[in-house]
Amino acid sequence: MYKGKTVTCVVPARMSSSRFPGKPLAKIHGRELVLRVADIAKEAKYVDSVIVATEDQVIKDLANENGYDSIVTSSHYTCTHRVAEIAGSLLADHVFNLQGDEPLTNPKWIDDMIVYAIDNNIDVLQSSRKLEPDEIDDEDVVKMILNNGVVTHMQRKCDVICDNIVTQLGLYMYKKDVIVDFPNLDMTFVKYWRGLDTIGFCGKYKVIPFDLKCGKVRAVDRPHHIQEIEEELAKK
């Protein structure tokens, strides 16, 4: 809780990832990816509760066996829809979405985003970092276009290269009523731009970027990223 506002962190995860089927159960130094991410969320001091949201019973069972609440949702084409489905039933003022494939997240980043979003009354706070030159053509790296201090568009392959492009990370902070409204928004761009969920908010809500200043941190998108993540964790 921060300034009297309660925060539930939802960790969305599913087995049917197109680029890495079964990803949530892939082990990093012996512990399943989805559990590693839930562990990180649990460490954040301003997170009041952690819920794993999934469409797969095997993930729910794993979460429950390891002491985490989990909800089986309907099948959705974006993880944000999965978070939105359960958000309405949560006893929380804000919902934090920590993607289930972000094992290099620092719990302090979560707390920093919570503080910034609540202090500034922000609808949607979207984490970001500097786009590195070797990532411009990497379609596993989502690029956000900023204009006048807000996120206006997202893309995997850059149409234009400029200083207003940053890298998106899978950490999001929402007001509860905003994430609950997500399924009612225009999903045209989300569907045609390969499921880049945050685009759905643009136009109705202000999506504010939050620079984590974290260097080149990446999520687990493909099987070979497991070894890269293990090597990064070993350095720490």
Side-chain angles (χ1 to χ4, degrees):
M1 182 179 292
Y2 176 72
K3 289 188 174 179
K5 302 292 186 180
T6 54
V7 180
T8 293
C9 182
V10 179
V11 179
R14 65 190 179 103
M15 295 294 287
S16 56
S17 168
S18 60
R19 288 172 288 176
F20 189 173
K23 177 168 62 174
L25 301 188
K27 291 187 177 181
I28 296 177
H29 291 315
R31 189 158 175 81
E32 290 83 353
L33 173 60
V34 65
L35 294 180
R36 278 192 165 272
V37 175
D39 294 342
I40 293 166
K42 188 178 179 180
E43 290 181 31
K45 63 182 178 179
Y46 295 134
V47 168
D48 299 285
S49 58
V50 178
I51 296 176
V52 176
T54 183
E55 60 188 53
D56 303 292
Q57 187 66 39
V58 64
I59 294 177
K60 180 183 189 301
D61 291 343
L62 177 69
N64 292 161
E65 289 165 6
N66 285 270
Y68 289 105
D69 290 335
S70 183
I71 295 175
V72 174
T73 69
S74 304
S75 179
H76 295 287
Y77 63 92
T78 79
C79 70
T80 307
H81 282 92
R82 181 166 294 108
V83 176
E85 179 182 328
I86 69 172
S89 64
L90 299 177
L91 298 177
D93 299 299
H94 296 267
V95 176
F96 197 99
N97 175 354
L98 176 59
Q99 298 274 0
D101 58 3
E102 293 280 357
L104 293 180
T105 297
N106 186 328
K108 184 179 183 299
W109 301 345
I110 299 173
D111 287 326
D112 288 346
M113 289 181 66
I114 290 171
V115 168
Y116 190 83
I118 292 176
D119 282 352
N120 293 281
N121 193 33
I122 292 172
D123 294 329
V124 181
L125 190 64
Q126 169 70 68
S127 61
S128 67
R129 65 169 173 78
K130 179 182 177 182
L131 177 66
E132 301 294 340
D134 64 347
E135 296 176 318
I136 291 173
D137 295 322
D138 185 349
E139 295 191 24
D140 286 338
V141 176
V142 177
K143 294 88 177 172
M144 298 194 299
I145 299 173
L146 312 181
N147 193 43
N148 295 317
V150 300
V151 177
T152 58
H153 191 50
M154 305 173 72
Q155 56 191 1
R156 291 188 179 277
K157 187 174 182 179
C158 291
D159 296 322
V160 177
I161 307 298
C162 64
D163 293 337
N164 285 28
I165 300 177
V166 298
T167 297
Q168 177 217 42
L169 292 175
L171 293 79
Y172 321 76
M173 172 75 168
Y174 315 111
K175 289 181 180 177
K176 178 181 173 180
D177 61 335
V178 172
I179 182 61
V180 168
D181 189 37
F182 184 72
N184 303 319
L185 304 180
D186 187 343
M187 292 292 124
T188 303
F189 278 88
V190 176
K191 291 177 179 178
Y192 285 89
W193 265 259
R194 297 174 63 181
L196 302 181
D197 311 17
T198 300
I199 298 178
F201 293 106
C202 297
K204 181 172 182 180
Y205 298 105
K206 282 188 176 181
V207 180
I208 306 299
F210 186 84
D211 187 355
L212 296 176
K213 302 184 187 303
C214 59
K216 192 176 179 180
V217 174
R218 73 167 307 129
V220 176
D221 293 301
R222 301 182 187 274
H224 70 267
H225 293 153
I226 292 293
Q227 182 177 348
E228 294 178 18
I229 298 295
E230 287 185 329
E231 291 172 356
E232 285 298 317
L233 290 172
K235 293 177 184 177
K236 297 179 180 181

